[in-house]
Amino acid sequence: MNLFGMLAVSGSALTAERQRAEVVTSNMANLETTRTPEGGPYRRQLVVFRSRRMPQFPALLAGFGSLASGNMAARGVRVDQVIADARPPILRYQPGHPDADPRGYVSYPAVDPVEETADLLGAVRSYELNASAVQSTKTMIQQSLDLLR
């Protein structure tokens, strides 16, 4: 892989991890949201990543793969979709709450602050590592240019 290809891969990962962090912070912000425009409590959102693919022949020309790796070569990552968590809402007995059902239970989002914090730390750490990879690649490019002088 050439150095500029490494920048493209790291750049795509930076974008994906930023979006992951935004989704996690949205989950945290809606921790107590019992009513949404769609009806019912907020549903925790999850980010699904997918590798970006390119056809093998252009990948070979660009230096991204070999014939033994199949007919497609990876070229970074992207957010494929943001999906709602399938976990049911948490019921709390609060008969005076405006969103309580006839039995007095209120449906709260199934968002665990500890789990969201761990997800956010993972996204931040991945972002930092990819930013470091970009910086290292830039340094290698600069050193290559210095050799040509």
Side-chain angles (χ1 to χ4, degrees):
M1 177 181 297
N2 65 34
L3 293 176
F4 293 105
M6 290 171 51
L7 285 175
V9 170
S10 292
S12 70
L14 287 170
T15 301
E17 291 298 342
R18 180 188 50 80
Q19 189 170 354
R20 177 180 168 203
E22 289 173 357
V23 168
V24 170
T25 55
S26 175
N27 289 340
M28 292 289 283
N30 288 292
L31 187 66
E32 298 289 324
T33 303
T34 59
R35 185 183 312 164
T36 61
E38 296 82 29
Y42 174 80
R43 304 289 296 200
R44 178 178 181 242
Q45 302 295 304
L46 302 168
V47 176
V48 177
F49 293 138
R50 182 160 321 271
S51 62
R52 290 193 325 198
R53 301 290 216 187
M54 65 185 294
Q56 183 65 35
F57 185 70
L60 284 173
L61 291 177
F64 289 121
S66 68
L67 290 174
S69 65
N71 62 358
M72 299 288 270
R75 176 87 188 249
V77 67
R78 65 180 172 87
V79 173
D80 187 45
Q81 57 184 328
V82 177
I83 59 173
D85 191 1
R87 287 187 279 189
I90 297 169
L91 297 177
R92 294 184 193 157
Y93 185 71
Q94 295 177 322
H97 194 283
D99 292 328
D101 64 12
R103 299 176 304 153
Y105 287 95
V106 179
S107 295
Y108 281 90
V111 176
D112 181 8
V114 175
E115 184 178 1
E116 296 303 319
T117 301
D119 285 349
L120 184 59
L121 288 172
V124 168
R125 186 66 181 137
S126 294
Y127 190 92
E128 290 171 348
L129 290 171
N130 280 292
S132 176
V134 167
Q135 188 59 42
S136 296
T137 304
K138 286 170 46 180
T139 301
M140 285 187 274
I141 291 170
Q142 184 61 46
Q143 289 172 347
S144 297
L145 291 174
D146 289 344
L147 287 174
L148 296 173
R149 291 182 188 175

